[in-house]
Amino acid sequence: MNLSKSILAGAALCLLASCGSKKEVSLQSKNQKTYAEISVKEGGKWNGRKYEGGSFKNVESLKVPANHTDHSWYIRYEGPGWESNKVGYRLYLDWRNAIDIYGKLTDTLVLSKVGQDGFDSYHNMSNWGADILKVAKGMGVGSIGRVINNEMYHFKDVDSTFAKASNDKDKSEIKVDYFGWKTNNQKTNLQSWLTIFPDERYTKHAIQSSELMDGICTGIVKLNNLPVIEKLSENKKWGYIATYGNQTLFNDNLGMAVFYEVSTAEKPFEGPHDHLIQFKPSKEKVTFYFLGAWEKEVGGIKSKEEFIQYLDANLSKLNKSDKLG
């Protein structure tokens, strides 16, 4: 079965399992160190592209409504979220498709409460932390886009999008299926798996395209003219790009990084708004890792030197085993 057929079969199964159902799913156990969720409004109604009224309820899976866009007030914090006991992330499940960072002041799991007291209250610092990254026109960290003639194409033209959250003892994951993602008069079905692990900052991001597409890329948003840090592993099979410095919404230090497998990448390069890694056209699954490291997290990294040591330690693991987690 080719990838396109397998994706469509998966979507059919998802629909049969009430992919868009509003059955509430249980929250994380007290002992769990990772968590992923999707939470949507119920009991209100759509008024154009805005959802009015209602209250949030967690669902295991979701077919994104066709009229959903940025600031529709329908999905809590605008998309799925996932976290470890160190850091949290969220994906804008709309045309932007950027990944944002939740800096955490605690080593407990917090996402189930984020945004419950007001749609975007997470932009204000609270006792658990806050949304700390200004994504603006960029990718955030570790998300997917396509560059054509130095222009970034996000996900403005997609036939349909499905998302699913799952939680296990040793990991939590968000899976997203983008059907009919159209850029430059070309269409592909793209799958994305975002997996986070206990006691770790990094997210494992695996992607797979049904078509050979040049220009598919990931990256790190450019902020405050901070220089990009680059390094290859000893065996030259893995590399990373990273930034470190004052680049949060609260004027403190944040490190961001993307680890990539050299054989899957065309090149690192500079885009208009991001430091980028462009992948070679492939129908095979491509895996990379990204992370955010905030100085105010519990046991946080406090200097650029310490951040680079942390990156190099993970690069050494990739050099030896070709995987993290």
Side-chain angles (χ1 to χ4, degrees):
M1 182 182 289
N2 63 32
L3 179 60
S4 296
K5 289 181 179 178
S6 66
I7 292 176
L8 290 171
L13 289 172
C14 189
L15 285 170
L16 287 172
S18 299
C19 197
S21 76
K22 301 299 187 289
K23 184 180 75 173
E24 190 165 10
V25 296
S26 60
L27 302 181
Q28 72 272 5
S29 69
K30 291 181 179 179
N31 297 323
Q32 196 172 335
K33 290 187 176 181
T34 66
Y35 177 59
E37 68 171 8
I38 305 169
S39 183
V40 300
K41 282 274 189 77
E42 272 196 339
K45 63 180 181 179
W46 285 97
N47 183 0
R49 288 184 171 265
K50 304 293 184 184
Y51 193 87
E52 299 176 345
S55 58
F56 288 116
K57 187 174 183 179
N58 278 40
V59 294
E60 182 180 348
S61 53
L62 172 71
K63 179 182 179 182
V64 180
N67 50 347
H68 180 264
T69 186
D70 61 291
H71 300 90
S72 282
W73 323 117
Y74 174 65
I75 307 175
R76 183 155 55 85
Y77 53 75
E78 300 201 88
W82 62 102
E83 66 177 321
S84 71
N85 49 321
K86 289 185 174 291
V87 65
Y89 302 95
R90 64 175 174 133
L91 170 69
Y92 298 157
L93 201 59
D94 54 54
W95 66 270
R96 297 168 295 175
N97 200 61
I99 292 176
D100 208 344
I101 299 173
Y102 286 126
K104 292 172 62 172
L105 297 170
T106 176
D107 58 5
T108 60
L109 300 180
V110 302
L111 283 187
S112 63
K113 300 178 179 64
V114 172
Q116 297 279 13
D117 56 345
F119 186 82
D120 57 359
S121 60
Y122 45 82
H123 289 120
N124 302 315
M125 188 59 67
S126 66
N127 57 2
W128 64 264
D131 173 348
I132 60 172
L133 184 63
K134 183 174 178 60
V135 172
K137 295 181 179 180
M139 305 182 78
V141 59
S143 65
I144 297 299
R146 188 181 184 200
V147 170
I148 303 169
N149 296 325
N150 207 39
E151 182 179 353
M152 177 64 71
Y153 287 78
H154 296 279
F155 283 69
K156 288 186 176 180
D157 193 347
V158 182
D159 290 341
S160 60
T161 302
F162 294 79
K164 182 176 182 180
S166 60
N167 291 289
D168 298 308
K169 182 183 293 185
D170 59 347
K171 65 181 179 180
S172 293
E173 184 173 272
I174 297 294
K175 181 176 183 285
V176 185
D177 288 301
Y178 306 92
F179 293 96
W181 178 32
K182 184 178 179 181
T183 52
N184 199 36
N185 294 316
Q186 296 173 292
K187 274 191 174 184
T188 190
N189 300 325
L190 184 76
Q191 292 182 294
S192 167
W193 296 263
L194 296 146
T195 312
I196 198 163
F197 305 91
D199 302 312
E200 301 292 355
R201 300 178 178 92
Y202 55 76
T203 291
K204 176 184 176 182
H205 196 174
I207 60 170
Q208 190 166 15
S209 172
S210 64
E211 306 298 328
L212 294 174
M213 304 278 277
D214 59 351
I216 291 180
C217 58
T218 188
I220 302 169
V221 62
K222 294 180 181 179
L223 293 168
N224 298 341
N225 296 313
L226 292 174
V228 64
I229 307 162
E230 298 185 50
K231 188 170 183 177
L232 294 178
S233 66
E234 186 177 342
N235 62 10
K236 311 299 183 186
K237 290 179 68 176
W238 287 85
Y240 67 70
I241 61 171
T243 58
Y244 184 87
N246 187 325
Q247 54 180 337
T248 76
L249 294 167
F250 299 93
N251 295 316
D252 42 30
N253 290 322
L254 171 70
M256 293 186 284
V258 174
F259 295 89
Y260 64 97
E261 192 171 10
V262 173
S263 64
T264 67
E266 292 277 10
K267 57 183 178 179
F269 70 106
E270 296 300 306
H273 307 291
D274 308 274
H275 309 289
L276 297 169
I277 299 292
Q278 181 174 317
F279 297 110
K280 295 175 181 176
S282 177
K283 293 184 181 181
E284 302 300 315
K285 188 179 287 188
V286 174
T287 298
F288 60 97
Y289 300 82
F290 66 85
L291 62 88
W294 187 37
E295 68 172 335
K296 290 182 179 176
E297 71 182 47
V298 177
I301 293 171
K302 305 295 186 184
S303 69
K304 183 177 181 179
E305 292 73 23
E306 189 180 354
F307 182 58
I308 291 174
Q309 289 175 6
Y310 166 72
L311 296 181
D312 289 349
N314 281 295
L315 191 63
S316 179
K317 291 177 184 177
L318 289 166
N319 187 74
K320 292 176 182 177
S321 64
D322 284 331
K323 66 178 182 179
L324 298 174

